[in-house]
Amino acid sequence: MPKKELISICTVMAVGILAIAMMIFFGKKAQGTTHDHHGHGHGAESHDHGHDHSGSQGPHGGKMLTEGEFELEVVIFEKGVPPHFRIYPYHNHKPADPKDVTMNVELERLGEKTDRFTFKPTGEFLYSEQEIEEPHSFFIKVLAEYKGEQFDWEYSQYENRLTVPPDLARKMGFETETAGPGTVISVLELPGEIALNADMVSHVTPRVAGVVLESRKNQGDMVQAGEAIAVIDSRDLGDAKSRYLVAVEREKLASYNFERIQRLWEAQTVAEKEFLTAKKSYLEEKIELAAAARKLIALGLSKQDLSNLSNEDDSTLTHFVIRAPFNGIITRKHLSQGEWIKEDQEIYVIADLSTVWVEIIVYARDTESVHLNQKATVKADSCGLEAVGTVSYVGPLVGEDTRTAKARIVIPNTDGRWRPGLFAKVELVQHNASPPMVIRNEAIQTHQNKSVVFVQYDDQYEARPVTVGRSNDKFSEILKGLVPGERYVTRNSYILKAEMGKAGMSHEH
């Protein structure tokens, strides 16, 4: 026989033997008894509503406690309401007035936790003022006073509890951890694509028509703000510069003439009409100069360019230097030397890649989970890249064809490795909390349509109903059901659930 087949057969036999041992062990442990002290009766350990305790069941389905002529029927009532005690008093086998009875009940739970209950008379029974928490598994102490006489009973009632010796627990692979504070980060994963930051993309146009004299930059070249990237020969620009230079000279002449006439008028050697005419002429030339300057500035010339214009050589009067608006890279080029271009023609596209956009595809079901300023991690696994940012835009529409919405994140790209066009994975943080009680998800089982966690005290394991809060793929917040410091089963807790079902440890509601 091959060695591999022999090993497989031995493994199956070992698992079978261990399973049989578990069935035998738990089968024996399922046959427990209820202990009723002071000699007041004995009953079975199982508990369902209402509490069939083998010969000690009362008329309301509860457990009967008897001492002399005084009796109490203890009922856990939970039909349509949270579980409470209802205790019916009897004297000489007849109902007694609940107002004549004073009651106190203590429940000692696994882990040395004690719940105390006080009662008030309601109709024919006494009603506990506190709710009974799940599980209904505890050691009960009942204290009562009736017409000056005191009574007390003790008995146990266990459900959803197993005893597993340490050596067997090790063989079954049980592992435990301590319940306590932790961090729960819930993440929504969505697809995305790296795109240019449209706020930092410039479509450069010449603003004047002309012939390309120089094309100084090519696609892929880096440029600095204000750097010359092209030179165009433009007749329109030459005309505008000529008009500006003429306006400068005319303004100077009008200013000189106005100042001369003003001095003569102040000396009363010329008429006021001649003074006003000179003033009007000066103001008109000043307006013309300002208009000529504004036109050149609108075409892209700076005030410094205007100051230097009078010193410019006539041969370059028609030359228009196009400059980069900001630091970036040439992503597109649409001109060549000697080409005629229009004033509104796109000749360059310059992009600042120090930041890029991450365009997120948001499925319709996830639109409520994406919001502004939400923290996100962007990953490009193909390139080994990862960056952190926040959502800066969430689209208000869902596409008719794709049935998806758009969202956007701006991320830094100082080293230029985030190239537009890359596909990315976006992890959006839905919540980042540090609750006082966190456990591993693998510890949570479902029993009777409720979430339960098996807590451990020595060799005792009990299924504890829990209320689960926020969660992620590894951890869950526990809102109710566990106490900080309790140890709970993390690994192979499903075995305990299965054995509990075999033992018939159910609790019908």
Side-chain angles (χ1 to χ4, degrees):
M1 180 180 296
K3 184 176 180 180
K4 290 185 177 179
E5 293 184 9
L6 182 61
I7 294 174
S8 299
I9 293 173
C10 291
T11 302
V12 172
M13 292 179 62
V15 172
I17 293 171
L18 186 60
I20 294 172
M22 286 288 293
M23 293 176 63
I24 295 173
F25 177 80
F26 284 116
K28 291 181 179 180
K29 287 298 180 181
Q31 301 174 0
T33 58
T34 295
H35 304 286
D36 194 4
H37 299 272
H38 301 297
H40 301 304
H42 299 275
E45 183 181 80
S46 63
H47 151 218
D48 57 39
H49 298 275
H51 307 272
D52 185 1
H53 289 283
S54 301
S56 59
Q57 184 175 354
H60 300 93
K63 180 176 179 61
M64 294 300 298
L65 305 177
T66 303
E67 185 171 349
E69 297 178 346
F70 184 65
E71 295 176 298
L72 293 178
E73 182 182 4
V74 181
V75 177
I76 297 180
F77 186 83
E78 55 181 330
K79 293 181 180 179
V81 296
H84 283 78
F85 279 114
R86 283 187 176 184
I87 297 184
Y88 297 83
Y90 299 90
H91 187 258
N92 286 333
H93 306 293
K94 294 181 180 179
D97 189 348
K99 296 180 180 178
D100 295 335
V101 180
T102 302
M103 289 289 309
N104 285 286
V105 171
E106 292 185 0
L107 306 181
E108 295 180 0
R109 297 181 177 272
L110 191 65
E112 300 183 355
K113 178 187 176 184
T114 301
D115 297 339
R116 293 178 172 82
F117 296 81
T118 56
F119 294 79
K120 60 181 180 181
T122 303
E124 60 178 347
F125 55 84
L126 292 105
Y127 189 74
S128 67
E129 298 181 294
Q130 296 79 25
E131 294 182 16
I132 307 172
E133 295 182 0
E134 295 278 4
H136 295 171
S137 181
F138 29 66
F139 182 78
I140 305 176
K141 293 181 179 180
V142 180
L143 303 175
E145 182 178 337
Y146 177 67
K147 294 185 176 180
E149 189 175 357
Q150 295 185 352
F151 305 87
D152 67 277
W153 295 267
E154 294 181 351
Y155 64 95
S156 59
Q157 175 176 300
Y158 298 140
E159 66 176 25
N160 299 339
R161 187 184 294 187
L162 295 169
T163 301
V164 183
D167 56 343
L168 184 56
R170 285 192 298 270
K171 291 179 181 179
M172 298 307 295
F174 295 160
E175 293 182 4
T176 62
E177 290 188 15
T178 302
T183 301
V184 179
I185 303 176
S186 179
V187 173
L188 173 65
E189 187 175 302
L190 295 172
E193 183 178 352
I194 307 303
L196 292 172
N197 183 343
D199 295 332
M200 297 303 294
V201 175
S202 176
H203 299 265
V204 181
T205 58
R207 305 189 213 181
V208 292
V211 177
V212 179
L213 294 178
E214 297 180 44
S215 176
R216 299 184 181 180
K217 295 293 180 179
N218 294 309
Q219 188 172 2
D221 289 347
M222 300 297 297
V223 296
Q224 300 296 318
E227 182 180 358
I229 57 177
V231 180
I232 296 174
D233 183 74
S234 171
R235 185 179 63 184
D236 294 340
L237 179 63
D239 290 342
K241 287 181 177 180
S242 297
R243 284 194 295 272
Y244 174 75
L245 292 174
V246 169
V248 169
E249 297 302 323
R250 290 178 65 90
E251 192 271 342
K252 289 180 181 179
L253 180 60
S255 176
Y256 171 77
N257 187 51
F258 171 66
E259 291 176 357
R260 184 180 63 83
I261 297 298
Q262 185 178 25
R263 288 193 299 270
L264 294 175
W265 178 69
E266 290 174 352
Q268 298 183 353
T269 56
V270 297
E272 183 179 6
K273 180 179 180 180
E274 187 175 352
F275 166 73
L276 294 175
T277 300
K279 182 178 182 180
K280 177 184 177 185
S281 177
Y282 168 65
L283 293 176
E284 288 175 347
E285 296 300 335
K286 194 173 182 179
I287 291 172
E288 287 293 329
L289 176 61
R294 282 195 293 270
K295 183 172 183 178
L296 289 175
I297 290 175
L299 292 175
L301 274 68
S302 65
K303 291 184 178 181
Q304 185 63 37
D305 292 334
L306 296 183
S307 301
N308 298 332
L309 203 56
S310 58
N311 300 323
E312 188 174 340
D313 189 88
D314 290 345
S315 62
T316 61
L317 199 62
T318 60
H319 292 185
F320 180 43
V321 179
I322 300 175
R323 302 183 183 278
F326 47 69
N327 297 345
I329 187 173
I330 304 292
T331 60
R332 292 181 189 174
K333 177 185 177 182
H334 301 292
L335 81 164
S336 58
Q337 191 170 348
E339 180 184 1
W340 170 267
I341 58 175
K342 297 180 180 180
E343 65 275 5
D344 59 352
Q345 180 178 332
E346 181 184 283
I347 58 174
Y348 283 111
V349 176
I350 300 175
D352 180 356
L353 297 181
S354 61
T355 61
V356 292
W357 283 357
V358 184
E359 298 282 4
I360 310 171
I361 299 173
V362 183
Y363 303 112
R365 65 177 181 271
D366 298 321
T367 52
E368 295 300 320
S369 300
V370 181
H371 52 81
L372 290 175
N373 300 319
Q374 188 173 7
K375 292 184 178 180
T377 300
V378 184
K379 298 179 179 179
D381 294 335
S382 59
C383 303
L385 299 176
E386 183 173 327
V388 177
T390 57
V391 176
S392 60
Y393 168 79
V394 178
L397 304 178
V398 174
E400 294 183 2
D401 297 329
T402 62
R403 296 301 172 188
T404 60
K406 293 289 186 181
R408 180 186 307 140
I409 300 171
V410 182
I411 60 174
N413 186 35
T414 53
D415 56 3
R417 297 181 64 194
W418 289 99
R419 297 177 181 271
L422 278 176
F423 289 109
K425 178 175 63 178
V426 181
E427 297 177 351
L428 295 167
V429 178
Q430 293 184 288
H431 56 74
N432 185 349
S434 298
M437 181 71 67
V438 173
I439 67 171
R440 293 188 179 274
N441 290 342
E442 60 184 319
I444 302 174
Q445 300 291 333
T446 301
H447 179 61
Q448 295 180 344
N449 298 320
K450 291 183 178 181
S451 295
V452 300
V453 173
F454 284 89
V455 297
Q456 180 215 6
Y457 285 90
D458 298 325
D459 61 351
Q460 298 291 308
Y461 295 82
E462 183 177 84
R464 188 79 58 77
V466 294
T467 302
V468 181
R470 293 162 291 188
S471 63
N472 58 20
D473 58 338
K474 293 183 179 180
F475 299 97
S476 291
E477 174 188 14
I478 300 301
L479 303 175
K480 185 180 179 182
L482 293 181
V483 178
E486 283 190 304
R487 296 198 66 82
Y488 67 96
V489 181
T490 57
R491 186 169 179 266
N492 291 347
S493 61
Y494 67 89
I495 297 177
L496 291 169
K497 172 187 171 182
E499 294 303 328
M500 189 172 65
K502 292 177 184 178
M505 297 181 180
S506 62
H507 178 106
E508 300 296 337
H509 294 277

